[in-house]
């Protein structure tokens, strides 16, 4: 059976996203993996497009402090990720904290921090059908890294990502 992380939301130790070993996901394109999930991978510098969401990385930089209300133990730095998110669906949606995960080259996942002083936070933003929003996600991390990926769940799967059958990977470098 499939193993799940302690929080029950995302499969734990997914070997198909192991960036430390030159992962088995393609550099770009769509592939059905042995776990039964479809992964759509966008190369660095391009937009990731799933059926109901499109995501384009505008910038990524690192900050020592972002005014976070609470951060996980071991946090030493924050990845500040500026994105353009487009709702490709037919209904309005809200961007959730568990819809985007930062993945480092050792395949460690980092959940975004919802309460910071960084301008234009995306978490909780309402996006009308067909509309785009620009904004920022902040990920607490123990160290900086120059490559990795942003794991993106479809808007339709945002409330139950453990059951997602189609996942996006936006490569950072």
């Amino acid at each position: 059976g499939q193993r799940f992380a302690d929080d029950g939301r995302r499969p734990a130790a997914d070997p198909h996203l192991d960036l430390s070993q030159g992962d088995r996901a393609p550099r770009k394109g769509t592939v059905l993996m042995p776990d039964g999930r479809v992964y759509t991978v966008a190369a660095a510098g391009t937009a990731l497009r799933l059926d109901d969401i499109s995501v384009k990385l505008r910038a990524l930089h690192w900050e020592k402090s972002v005014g976070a209300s609470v951060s996980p133990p071991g946090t030493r730095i924050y990845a500040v990720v500026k994105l353009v998110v487009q709702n490709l669906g037919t209904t309005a949606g809200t961007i959730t904290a568990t819809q985007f995960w930062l993945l480092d080259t050792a395949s460690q996942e980092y959940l975004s921090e919802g309460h910071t002083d960084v301008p234009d936070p995306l978490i909780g933003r309402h996006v009308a059908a067909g509309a785009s929003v620009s904004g920022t996600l902040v990920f607490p991390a123990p160290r900086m890294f120059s490559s990795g990926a942003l794991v993106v769940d479809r808007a339709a799967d945002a409330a139950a990502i453990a059951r997602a059958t189609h996942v996006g990977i936006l490569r950072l470098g």
Side-chain angles (χ1 to χ4, degrees):
Q2 192 172 36
R3 294 185 316 130
F4 289 90
D6 294 340
D7 61 7
R9 291 180 291 197
R10 180 170 297 287
D14 186 342
H16 308 296
L17 294 177
D18 185 358
L19 297 180
S20 65
Q21 300 296 318
D23 67 82
R24 291 178 244 171
R27 297 304 302 166
K28 63 179 183 174
T30 299
V31 63
L32 175 63
M33 297 300 262
D35 67 358
R37 289 187 170 162
V38 173
Y39 289 90
T40 296
V41 182
T46 66
L48 170 67
R49 185 180 174 98
L50 302 177
D51 64 339
D52 66 356
I53 189 171
S54 173
V55 179
K56 172 84 171 158
L57 176 69
R58 292 181 55 210
L60 179 136
H61 68 274
W62 298 89
E63 296 284 339
K64 289 192 182 252
S65 177
V66 293
S69 56
V70 177
S71 292
T75 298
R76 289 184 179 78
I77 198 152
Y78 297 86
V80 179
V81 180
K82 294 182 181 185
L83 302 171
V84 176
V85 178
Q86 183 179 11
N87 179 350
L88 302 175
T90 58
T91 60
T94 301
I95 297 172
T96 66
T98 58
Q99 197 171 353
F100 297 88
W101 298 72
L102 186 64
L103 188 67
D104 68 16
T105 55
S107 296
Q108 175 65 48
E109 291 181 322
Y110 302 97
L111 180 63
S112 59
E113 169 65 50
H115 303 286
T116 69
D117 293 336
V118 175
D120 300 320
L122 281 171
I123 295 173
R125 292 271 296 272
H126 179 78
V127 188
S132 294
V133 295
S134 295
T136 306
L137 294 173
V138 176
F139 297 91
R143 69 192 173 293
M144 291 190 302
F145 44 93
S146 59
S147 62
L150 191 65
V151 178
V152 179
D153 288 293
R154 297 168 52 245
D157 295 328
I161 62 174
R163 293 191 295 270
T165 58
H166 192 170
V167 178
I169 302 170
L170 180 57
R171 292 197 182 269
L172 301 177

